[in-house]
């Protein structure tokens, strides 16, 4: 078997000779070359997948070029991007790792290395590790598995539960899962073959736990406790009316009690399966005692090395099926005494699809094939979403809203999910759904004052750039069309946003003036308007060819 160093050397040599990665795959490069180098270590192997967002088939996914950290997180992973990221982690530009982990030269590297992910490829890797470590492996999912595609939306999560069961997930937690509504969540959990762990969710009447917090595994004589933590701010980031009887929160004291209870029951290893987000979990790791490993999710960060936070290993496994994390643990009488971590790239063309999972994916998709494969147009621009501020995919959505709702200003939520599209790629209906498939897609149209707009932007900026991670409540900055602004991420609350202007005129947005604003994904019950995916598809059909200038929104950032 090739070591990772040897694999990268073979890859670099082949690329220098003009070979594509599919060509490499045909010449013998397979999933074994991507799996962790060396033999398994110790008694326990943790596999971690998170933030799949219902992406069953291979895709392109560009990592952010802007991911700003504030306070203690400033300049620390994951808040390092581009060439700084490559330098920090010692990644060679142009390499497989550079393609998988950064935005540098993304289009060129995507054409060379090909798509990533695909549930049939992930299944192959999971089975390979289980085959190597049959009595040691625990496979965990960090949430956001059931939402993010048309098949997921059409089945209200049901088909994704089928996929999760077939994949052999042994415990999971949630965030976007809750947007199907609390009754549907209960139905889906009843269909699951594994525990749904969310110890931080309480009944609003009695403050009693809604879900189990902890499950236990025995591996090679070692007792492993897995504690689940759902996204703490679900009723703020998503509609409260969908989950009216449940309350959420970080509940640090409750996490500590769960850890202590697990230790009291004999757990030699304690794992927090978390959807808190990276910075929240970094803080939590320094405050809750007795956690050996935090498998973090929600913020979609992919970090090639684990972080050691006061003795707690923090692992970030990316999103969209792009990576599978493997953490081997050697456990002694006093706890974890050694470990080995590997972030496995799910490089589609180098991995044989698992036949059983491939059949299931085809079965899930086939009823929707005509809808999914409709070609709407073509893009001349790289379309991407991930990043603190507007991405070109968000610009496309905003342009469609401006046109179809006859608005001066368009607002689009700072969601992190949605596949990337390369220049020259056909845009299908599936691509649009992959960026918009939610249960509250209505596109509203109303008048807002300049003062209200500033308040909205200040509130989102506070959620994103508060120096205390425990007050960071969700995604990235709201995306905008038809306006520009300046933001100082280091300023105090209420003082970050300035120089708001209408575009393209540059006319200042006045506090006392009203503007026609249209947006989607409102968390308010009773919002009316056409589904955003219908508007975007109509816009692409009319345009035929999509061209997006990445700097057109003119957002100025002081960091």
């Amino acid at each position: 078997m090739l070591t990772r160093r040897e694999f990268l050397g073979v890859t670099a040599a082949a690329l220098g000779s003009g070979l594509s990665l599919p060509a490499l795959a045909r010449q013998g490069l397979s999933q074994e070359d991507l799996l962790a180098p060396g033999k398994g270590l110790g008694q326990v192997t943790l596999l971690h997948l998170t933030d799949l967002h219902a992406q069953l088939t291979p895709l392109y996914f560009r990592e952010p070029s802007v991911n700003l950290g504030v306070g203690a997180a400033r300049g620390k992973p994951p808040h390092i991007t581009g060439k700084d990221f490559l330098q920090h982690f010692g990644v060679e530009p142009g390499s497989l790792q550079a393609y998988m982990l950064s935005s540098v030269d993304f289009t060129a590297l995507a054409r060379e290395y090909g798509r990533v992910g695909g549930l049939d490829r992930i299944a192959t890797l999971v089975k390979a590790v289980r085959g190597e470590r049959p009595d040691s492996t625990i496979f965990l999912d960090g949430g956001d598995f059931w939402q993010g595609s048309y098949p997921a939306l059409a089945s209200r999560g049901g088909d994704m539960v089928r996929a999760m069961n077939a994949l052999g997930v042994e415990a999971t937690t949630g965030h976007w899962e809750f947007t199907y509504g609390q009754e549907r969540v209960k139905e889906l959990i009843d269909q699951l073959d594994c525990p749904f762990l969310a110890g931080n969710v309480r009944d609003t009447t009695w403050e009693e736990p809604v879900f189990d917090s902890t499950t236990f595994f025995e591996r090679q004589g070692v007792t492993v406790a897995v504690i689940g933590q759902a996204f703490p701010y679900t009723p703020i980031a998503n509609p409260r009316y969908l989950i009216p009887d449940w309350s959420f929160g970080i509940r640090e004291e409750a996490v500590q009690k769960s850890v202590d209870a697990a230790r009291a029951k004999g757990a030699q290893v304690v794992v927090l399966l978390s959807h808190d987000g990276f910075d929240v979990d970094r803080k939590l790791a320094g405050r809750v005692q007795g956690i050996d490993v935090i498998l973090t999710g929600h913020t979609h960060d992919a970090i090639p090395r684990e972080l050691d936070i006061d003795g707690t290993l923090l692992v970030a496994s990316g999103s969209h099926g792009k990576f599978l994390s493997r953490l081997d643990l050697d456990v002694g009488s006093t706890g974890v005494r050694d470990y080995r971590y590997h972030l496995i790239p799910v490089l589609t063309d180098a991995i044989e699809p698992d036949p059983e999972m491939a059949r299931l994916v085809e079965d899930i998709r086939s009823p929707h094939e005509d809808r999914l494969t409709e070609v709407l147009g073509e893009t001349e621009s790289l379309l991407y979403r991930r990043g603190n501020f507007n991405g070109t995919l968000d610009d496309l959505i905003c342009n469609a809203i401006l046109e179809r709702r006859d608005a001066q200003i368009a607002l689009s939520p700072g969601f992190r999910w949605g596949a990337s599209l390369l220049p020259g790629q056909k845009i299908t209906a599936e691509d649009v759904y992959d960026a918009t498939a939610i249960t509250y897609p209505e596109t509203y149209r109303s008048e807002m004052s300049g003062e209200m707009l500033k308040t909205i932007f200040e509130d989102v900026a506070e959620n994103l750039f508060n120096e205390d991670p425990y007050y960071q409540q969700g995604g990235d900055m709201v995306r905008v069309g038809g306006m520009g602004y300046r933001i100082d991420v280091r300023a105090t609350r209420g003082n970050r946003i300035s120089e708001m202007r209408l575009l393209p005129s540059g006319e200042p947005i006045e506090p006392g003036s009203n503007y026609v604003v249209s947006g989607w994904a409102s968390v308010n019950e009773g919002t009316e308007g056409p589904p955003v995916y219908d508007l975007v598809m109509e816009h692409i059909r009319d345009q035929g060819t999509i061209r997006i200038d990445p700097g057109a929104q003119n957002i100025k950032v002081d960091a």
Side-chain angles (χ1 to χ4, degrees):
M1 180 186 297
L2 292 175
T3 67
R4 188 171 72 174
R5 180 185 299 273
E6 289 168 339
F7 166 63
L8 292 177
V10 169
T11 303
L15 295 182
S17 66
L19 290 174
S20 67
L21 198 70
L24 280 173
R26 288 193 296 271
Q27 292 180 22
L29 183 65
S30 66
Q31 60 265 13
E32 284 77 16
D33 303 311
L34 303 177
L35 292 167
K39 295 182 179 179
L41 175 75
Q43 308 95 318
V44 178
T45 296
L46 300 175
L47 292 180
H48 181 232
L49 177 73
T50 192
D51 296 281
L52 181 73
H53 283 289
Q55 296 302 307
L56 303 181
T57 57
L59 46 72
Y60 297 107
F61 187 80
R62 174 188 180 272
E63 297 298 325
S65 56
V66 180
N67 184 4
L68 300 176
V70 292
R74 181 179 175 84
K76 296 181 180 178
H79 305 292
I80 307 172
T81 58
K83 294 180 180 178
D84 291 337
F85 182 99
L86 301 184
Q87 183 176 6
H88 179 86
F89 287 105
V91 175
E92 185 71 21
S95 68
L96 171 62
Q97 280 193 310
Y99 168 53
M100 298 294 292
L101 291 165
S102 80
S103 60
V104 177
D105 297 328
F106 177 78
T107 297
L109 294 179
R111 295 193 194 285
E112 189 62 55
Y113 286 99
R115 286 177 167 85
V116 298
L119 212 61
D120 52 3
R121 271 66 171 193
I122 295 171
T124 294
L125 295 178
V126 171
K127 287 183 177 180
V129 175
R130 281 177 165 155
E132 175 200 341
R133 306 271 284 167
D135 301 317
S136 300
T137 304
I138 304 171
F139 180 28
L140 305 171
D141 171 76
D144 282 359
F145 192 112
W146 302 348
Q147 176 276 337
S149 68
Y150 182 77
L153 184 65
S155 67
R156 299 176 62 218
D159 284 341
M160 300 307 113
V161 171
R162 291 172 61 198
M164 179 175 276
N165 287 341
L167 197 58
V169 171
E170 294 173 85
T172 187
T173 188
H175 169 205
W176 275 93
E177 286 76 4
F178 297 110
T179 62
Y180 292 118
Q182 62 188 41
E183 294 307 314
R184 180 57 174 166
V185 169
K186 292 176 184 177
E187 294 173 358
L188 294 173
I189 290 173
D190 285 342
Q191 299 169 25
L192 263 182
D193 291 343
C194 70
F196 185 93
L197 303 175
N200 59 326
V201 181
R202 298 283 189 271
D203 175 87
T204 55
T205 302
W206 303 105
E207 277 297 303
E208 294 179 347
V210 176
F211 308 102
D212 291 338
S213 67
T214 310
T215 192
F216 292 85
F217 299 91
E218 293 290 330
R219 295 292 185 270
Q220 297 275 20
V222 174
T223 301
V224 180
V226 176
I227 300 169
Q229 179 90 340
F231 180 54
Y233 293 109
T234 298
I236 297 173
N238 308 101
R240 152 61 71 188
Y241 65 84
L242 294 172
I243 42 172
D245 301 323
W246 297 345
S247 67
F248 292 66
I250 297 171
R251 304 190 194 275
E252 185 182 282
E253 292 183 2
V255 176
Q256 184 67 70
K257 288 181 180 178
S258 294
V259 173
D260 294 343
R263 293 291 186 186
K265 292 180 180 179
Q268 296 157 275
V269 176
V270 174
V271 177
L272 184 67
L273 180 62
S274 172
H275 206 87
D276 284 337
F278 193 97
D279 288 341
V280 173
D281 282 329
R282 176 160 36 200
K283 178 176 178 179
L284 189 74
R287 294 171 62 88
V288 174
Q289 304 301 308
I291 302 175
D292 295 297
V293 179
I294 298 180
L295 303 174
T296 191
H298 175 63
T299 41
H300 293 196
D301 304 301
I303 308 295
R305 295 199 294 264
E306 77 294 337
L307 270 64
D308 189 331
I309 311 295
D310 297 331
T312 298
L313 301 178
L314 182 56
V315 168
S317 306
S319 66
H320 291 75
K322 194 174 181 181
F323 298 99
L324 179 70
S325 276
R326 172 178 176 167
L327 180 65
D328 288 5
L329 301 174
D330 181 28
V331 184
S333 59
T334 59
V336 177
R337 59 191 177 194
D338 197 5
Y339 65 88
R340 180 184 294 142
Y341 176 65
H342 183 49
L343 184 65
I344 304 171
V346 185
L347 192 61
T348 303
D349 289 327
I351 302 169
E352 287 293 324
D354 176 73
E356 293 179 6
M357 184 60 74
R359 284 192 293 270
L360 177 59
V361 169
E362 182 180 2
D363 183 60
I364 289 172
R365 290 172 53 83
S366 60
H368 316 294
E369 194 68 23
D370 289 343
R371 179 190 293 264
L372 295 174
T373 57
E374 180 192 353
V375 175
L376 307 171
E378 182 176 318
T379 180
E380 289 187 352
S381 308
L382 172 64
L383 299 181
Y384 61 89
R385 165 172 276 173
R386 184 77 170 89
N388 287 151
F389 304 100
N390 272 48
T392 51
L393 183 55
D394 300 295
D395 290 342
L396 170 60
I397 293 170
C398 286
N399 290 345
I401 292 172
L402 289 171
E403 176 190 287
R404 295 286 160 174
R405 296 296 274 161
D406 190 23
Q408 293 173 281
I409 296 170
L411 303 180
S412 188
F415 295 153
R416 297 186 180 96
W417 43 274
S420 304
L421 283 82
L422 304 184
Q425 191 172 337
K426 301 294 184 184
I427 306 173
T428 66
E430 181 170 22
D431 296 321
V432 174
Y433 283 117
D434 285 349
T436 58
I438 64 173
T439 57
Y440 48 106
E442 295 79 13
T443 308
Y444 62 84
R445 184 180 187 274
S446 63
E447 286 195 358
M448 295 185 188
S449 69
E451 182 179 13
M452 179 178 291
L453 284 166
K454 185 176 189 299
T455 298
I456 290 171
F457 279 73
E458 290 284 8
D459 284 349
V460 177
E462 175 68 10
N463 290 341
L464 181 58
F465 297 117
N466 190 303
E467 290 193 0
D468 187 341
Y470 281 10
Y471 290 94
Q472 296 172 4
Q473 299 174 357
D476 289 310
M477 278 298 294
V478 59
R479 279 48 171 139
V480 295
M483 67 168 287
Y485 63 92
R486 179 182 291 273
I487 179 170
D488 184 348
V489 302
R490 293 171 293 181
T492 56
R493 179 172 186 164
N495 298 296
R496 293 186 176 94
I497 306 297
S498 62
E499 300 180 21
M500 296 171 60
R501 304 169 307 285
L502 288 175
L503 296 177
S505 69
E507 175 187 344
I509 294 176
E510 301 292 346
S513 298
N514 285 346
Y515 303 89
V516 178
V517 179
S518 183
W520 64 289
S522 170
V523 298
N524 297 320
E525 190 171 10
T527 299
E528 297 181 352
V532 68
Y533 34 75
D534 287 351
L535 295 187
V536 176
M537 284 191 271
E538 290 170 4
H539 175 77
I540 298 171
R541 289 189 191 102
D542 283 353
Q543 294 290 314
T545 300
I546 298 299
R547 304 175 186 87
I548 302 290
D549 175 5
Q553 299 303 336
N554 198 20
I555 299 170
K556 300 177 181 178
V557 181
D558 298 321

